[in-house]
């Protein structure tokens, strides 16, 4: 979700100046002494496509408040969940993960992101769940589809449309289901056909960033230990960490006010406690961490059009560390799943 921490840009992280966008003929930010246009600037590969009308969800399915033109109801949800809520979250999270694994298997050249959306919508309804992104309010229009599909330089919140996947693309699919009164939120990046080595490395490093973030999410540690671990790994590999979008508390609400930055933020000193549930969902780039937004108010891309990957899990903090709730039933269904 979008970062809304007060003062978050004033922390002057060491790497804040990295990734600031130069003009095409100026030196690249990376220190190569090459012109930006000959170094980290890439070409746009995705543009706005045709979006079909919104699909309906049967009335037999319990819907969140935004489903029928409403708004997001917000309340002070405890960060530490009751055992009863945790039990419901476990079940819903696995169903979201199974849906994601199935959608990943569809990512072949020629398949449109619209087809992936139809599959997600159908599968959600089969599972008697509501696809949480559908009609979720945003800065402009509500999100019109049931899943986010983000291709190549799209960081997150890509809207499924008529673009056909091409050999060499990477695509992130972000599934959230609402069932039993709780949300389960998970995403992964998939390869379409034969992908270049840099995109493979980016995807693997991003998966590892999530793993390091999860390992750092131990009770007694501050929340910012998570971002520190992620940023250390990504920047050691020469990659950028997106700042504008963060992980979040989750439960009966899709996004609670708990924010999980994927970079080191000195202000995030709340202590991680057993019973907390939140997502970690690092977005890593091969270039600058700067983001741009399309006019649709949703699609976020890297400002330099460098490629970007993401992985997300919904987690439960237990006494000895974080447990992944969004583990699919069959862990072999995705090549990078065995986290
Ligand atoms: N699932 C996304 C997240 O990880 C949020 C999507 S909001 C939507 O937080 F409206 F775009 F679906
Ligand atoms: Co999320
Ligand atoms: Co998500």
């Amino acid at each position: 979700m979008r970062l809304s921490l007060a003062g978050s840009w004033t922390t002057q992280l060491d790497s804040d100046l990295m990734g600031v966008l130069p003009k095409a003929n100026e030196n690249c930010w990376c220190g190569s002494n090459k012109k930006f246009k000959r170094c980290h600037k890439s070409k746009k590969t995705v543009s706005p496509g045709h979006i079909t009308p919104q699909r309906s969800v049967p009335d037999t399915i319990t819907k969140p408040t935004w489903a029928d033109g409403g708004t997001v109801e917000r309340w002070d949800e405890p960060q530490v969940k009751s055992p009863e809520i945790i039990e419901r979250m476990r079940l819903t999270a696995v169903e979201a993960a199974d849906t994601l694994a199935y959608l990943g298997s569809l990512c072949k050249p020629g398949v449109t992101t619209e087809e992936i959306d139809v599959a997600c919508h159908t599968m959600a309804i089969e599972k008697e769940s509501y696809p949480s992104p559908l009609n979720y309010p945003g800065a402009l229009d509500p999100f019109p589809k049931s899943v986010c599909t983000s291709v190549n330089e799209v960081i997150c919140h890509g809207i499924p449309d008529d673009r056909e996947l091409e050999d060499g693309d990477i695509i992130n699919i972000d599934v959230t289901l609402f069932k039993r009164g709780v949300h389960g939120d998970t995403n992964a990046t998939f390869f379409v056909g034969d992908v270049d080595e840099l995109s493979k490395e980016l995807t693997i490093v991003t998966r590892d960033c999530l793993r390091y973030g999860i390992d750092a999410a131990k009770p007694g540690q501050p929340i910012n230990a998570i971002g520190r671990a992620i940023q250390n790994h990504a920047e050691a590999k020469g990659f950028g960490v997106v700042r504008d979008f963060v992980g979040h508390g989750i439960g009966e609400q899709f996004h609670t006010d708990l924010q999980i930055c994927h970079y080191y933020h000195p202000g995030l000193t709340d202590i991680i406690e057993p019973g907390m549930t939140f997502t970690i969902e690092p977005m890593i780039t091969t270039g600058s961490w700067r983001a741009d937004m399309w006019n649709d108010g949703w699609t976020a891309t890297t400002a330099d059009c460098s490629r970007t990957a993401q992985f997300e899990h919904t987690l439960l903090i237990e006494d000895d560390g974080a447990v992944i709730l969004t583990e699919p039933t069959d862990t072999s269904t995705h090549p990078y799943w065995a986290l």
Side-chain angles (χ1 to χ4, degrees):
M1 71 172 298
R2 212 173 167 81
L3 173 76
S4 64
L5 270 171
S8 55
W9 291 103
T10 63
T11 54
Q12 291 300 321
L13 306 169
D14 280 354
S15 58
D16 261 7
L17 289 174
M18 276 174 61
V20 172
L21 281 199
K23 297 211 168 61
N25 283 319
E26 289 172 359
N27 277 356
C28 191
W29 51 266
C30 73
S32 63
N33 280 328
K34 285 194 253 176
K35 287 183 177 177
F36 178 45
K37 67 178 180 190
R38 306 221 178 282
C39 192
H40 271 96
K41 190 172 161 55
S42 303
K43 281 210 184 67
K44 211 165 111 112
T45 70
V46 189
S47 49
H50 179 257
I51 299 167
T52 58
Q54 213 166 294
R55 294 194 151 67
S56 62
V57 174
D59 285 334
T60 48
I61 289 173
T62 310
K63 300 173 185 176
T65 53
W66 57 86
D68 292 310
T71 47
V72 182
E73 194 190 331
R74 294 199 183 280
W75 66 94
D76 208 1
E77 180 172 343
Q79 282 180 18
V80 173
K81 310 298 186 210
S82 68
E84 185 269 326
I85 289 186
I86 288 170
E87 218 27 62
R88 285 190 270 142
M89 287 188 72
R90 282 183 195 283
L91 298 170
T92 301
V94 171
E95 293 189 86
D98 287 342
T99 305
L100 175 62
Y102 172 69
L103 299 180
S105 74
L106 303 179
C107 296
K108 304 263 158 57
V111 173
T112 64
T113 48
E114 159 81 9
E115 289 173 83
I116 294 168
D117 178 69
V118 172
C120 182
H121 190 82
T122 308
M123 208 163 173
I125 291 172
E126 269 168 21
K127 293 181 185 296
E128 297 182 319
S129 61
Y130 183 89
S132 309
L134 188 61
N135 212 42
Y136 192 73
L140 302 169
D141 294 323
F143 195 81
K145 293 284 154 192
S146 299
V147 66
C148 301
T149 52
S150 304
V151 175
N152 298 342
E153 70 268 22
V154 179
I155 295 170
C156 62
H157 302 167
I159 302 173
D161 63 18
D162 59 350
R163 184 188 184 283
E164 287 182 9
L165 294 176
E166 290 170 18
D167 187 54
D169 282 346
I170 56 171
I171 176 175
N172 177 275
I173 302 182
D174 191 344
V175 174
T176 311
L177 296 186
F178 180 68
K179 184 175 176 182
R180 306 173 184 89
V182 293
H183 298 269
D185 186 3
T186 182
N187 75 47
T189 299
F190 300 90
F191 298 154
V192 181
D194 276 333
V195 166
D196 66 85
E197 286 306 313
L198 183 62
S199 298
K200 280 188 193 157
E201 194 195 347
L202 168 72
T203 306
I204 289 164
V205 167
T206 308
R207 177 205 59 181
D208 292 344
C209 280
L210 173 56
R211 178 80 265 174
Y212 288 127
I214 293 170
D215 290 346
K218 297 246 184 293
Q221 293 294 310
I223 290 281
N224 63 17
I226 298 168
R228 188 194 331 242
I230 291 169
Q231 185 176 18
N232 278 345
H233 185 61
E235 291 182 358
K237 298 288 178 181
F239 293 145
V241 179
V242 170
R243 309 276 204 270
D244 295 32
F245 299 90
V246 296
H248 49 92
I250 183 168
E252 295 184 285
Q253 297 175 87
F254 191 169
H255 301 112
T256 72
D257 53 17
L258 175 65
Q259 297 188 68
I260 314 290
C261 287
H262 303 112
Y263 55 94
Y264 176 67
H265 189 299
L268 294 178
T269 54
D270 282 6
I271 300 298
I272 299 169
E273 278 180 65
M276 282 181 161
T277 51
F278 54 79
T279 72
I280 303 180
E281 46 183 296
M283 287 141 273
I284 307 299
T285 74
T286 60
S288 164
W289 50 264
R290 291 274 172 187
D292 273 345
M293 173 82 72
W294 285 2
N295 292 334
D296 59 19
W298 283 107
T299 310
T301 68
T302 53
D304 59 2
C305 286
S306 60
R307 286 195 170 197
T308 166
Q310 184 180 21
F311 284 86
E312 173 177 30
H313 275 308
T314 295
L315 304 164
L316 165 69
I317 304 302
E318 290 190 340
D319 291 343
D320 46 5
V323 174
I324 298 171
L325 298 184
T326 38
E327 199 78 83
T329 312
D330 176 0
T331 46
S332 70
T333 45
H334 186 278
Y336 302 109
W337 213 286
L339 277 170

